[in-house]
Amino acid sequence: SQKIEQNSEALNIQEGKTATLTCNYTNYSPAYLQWYRQDPGRGPVFLLLIRENEKEKRKERLKVTFDTTLKQSLFHITASQPADSATYLCAPILSGGSYIPTFGRGTSLIVHP
Amino acid sequence: DAGITQSPRHKVTETGTPVTLRCHQTENHRYMYWYRQDPGHGLRLIHYSYGVKDTDKGEVSDGYSVSRSKTEDFLLTLESATSSQTSVYFCAISEFRQGEGEQFFGPGTRLTVL
């Protein structure tokens, strides 16, 4: 069955460092992959989308990679700030189907000042 | 923020009672979705709609029904609530169905079934 894996343990880093979050998927060949941010008590907020033919996508301090051979996406936040503390969800999307994202459980990021 | 509201925001009900959650959007987006989010499971799709009166089931649709009589409203009904339906429910909208269509989420409804 299709499976999405994100680190269940929280990632703790110091302010100013680069945070790297991992999303692995199995039995899947997504054409797209989205990343969302979720703060406690709020709905997820879209951050970035990357297509299968793109290796890397950047937006300000955010960078996403998509390795279809490894079946993995990495999400980087450079020069991290305490305000970046949140849960980050990856959401692979299959083409040729409903095109609806299937969400991972998310990884909590805590940036310490 | 995208114009999405959910009502009620919090609800406590008893097992066996019917419950209806409402999602209202002002963006005129075609696609609307209902998810539930539980610890250890993440977001799971319940039902979605691709137009007025057009709906389809998601991953965890048993025990839920939906209706969409207007573009702006998408209702989720629990015909007879059970304790396993205690959860946080999120509505989402998107303009496009294709994978490039980002979803905009509402603030959520916390439902407790006693």
Side-chain angles (χ1 to χ4, degrees):
Chain A
S1 61
Q2 297 168 343
K3 193 174 179 182
I4 306 165
E5 292 181 347
Q6 294 187 258
N7 286 346
S8 57
E9 290 185 13
L11 176 63
N12 286 272
I13 65 169
Q14 283 300 123
E15 183 176 8
K17 301 293 186 183
T18 296
T20 299
L21 305 175
T22 304
C23 175
N24 295 301
Y25 54 90
T26 55
N27 298 323
Y28 238 122
S29 293
Y32 310 88
L33 196 144
Q34 297 179 346
W35 281 88
Y36 288 78
R37 168 185 173 139
Q38 187 173 24
D39 292 284
R42 302 179 71 97
V45 175
F46 173 82
L47 295 174
L48 278 170
L49 173 140
I50 188 165
R51 302 174 185 82
E52 62 179 340
N53 61 352
E54 297 175 320
K55 296 297 182 187
E56 182 179 297
K57 196 78 166 282
R58 292 175 184 261
K59 179 182 177 183
E60 298 173 350
R61 294 184 297 111
L62 308 180
K63 185 179 84 172
V64 172
T65 63
F66 194 6
D67 190 325
T68 56
T69 301
L70 290 180
K71 293 187 179 296
Q72 180 180 81
S73 176
L74 299 179
F75 179 81
H76 306 271
I77 305 175
T78 58
S80 59
Q81 304 165 359
D84 295 326
S85 299
T87 296
Y88 292 85
L89 311 174
C90 76
I93 301 165
L94 292 172
S95 64
S98 64
Y99 290 95
I100 298 173
T102 302
F103 287 85
R105 297 178 189 179
T107 298
S108 175
L109 172 66
I110 303 169
V111 181
H112 299 276
Chain B
D1 289 345
I4 312 171
T5 56
Q6 292 184 231
S7 58
R9 294 293 314 279
H10 302 271
K11 186 170 182 67
V12 179
T13 191
E14 294 189 349
T15 298
T17 59
V19 177
T20 296
L21 308 182
R22 181 184 183 231
C23 177
H24 178 78
Q25 61 147 328
T26 57
E27 305 296 323
N28 201 36
H29 284 354
R30 178 179 175 185
Y31 301 94
M32 299 186 75
Y33 314 81
W34 275 108
Y35 291 89
R36 60 178 289 175
Q37 187 171 40
D38 305 287
H41 287 281
L43 277 164
R44 292 180 292 173
L45 181 68
I46 305 172
H47 282 280
Y48 67 100
S49 169
Y50 45 96
V52 173
K53 298 192 190 305
D54 292 324
T55 65
D56 206 347
K57 296 179 180 179
E59 178 188 357
V60 289
S61 59
D62 286 350
Y64 301 95
S65 62
V66 290
S67 66
R68 190 168 178 201
S69 58
K70 297 185 291 185
T71 298
E72 58 266 35
D73 289 324
F74 193 30
L75 304 180
L76 177 70
T77 298
L78 291 67
E79 301 290 347
S80 178
T82 67
S83 59
S84 64
Q85 293 176 312
T86 292
S87 186
V88 179
Y89 291 85
F90 287 102
C91 173
I93 64 175
S94 67
E95 188 172 5
F96 307 108
R97 188 194 74 161
Q98 286 73 15
E100 301 184 37
E102 62 180 280
Q103 292 189 329
F104 300 94
F105 283 81
T109 294
R110 183 172 295 277
L111 175 67
T112 303
V113 183
L114 301 175

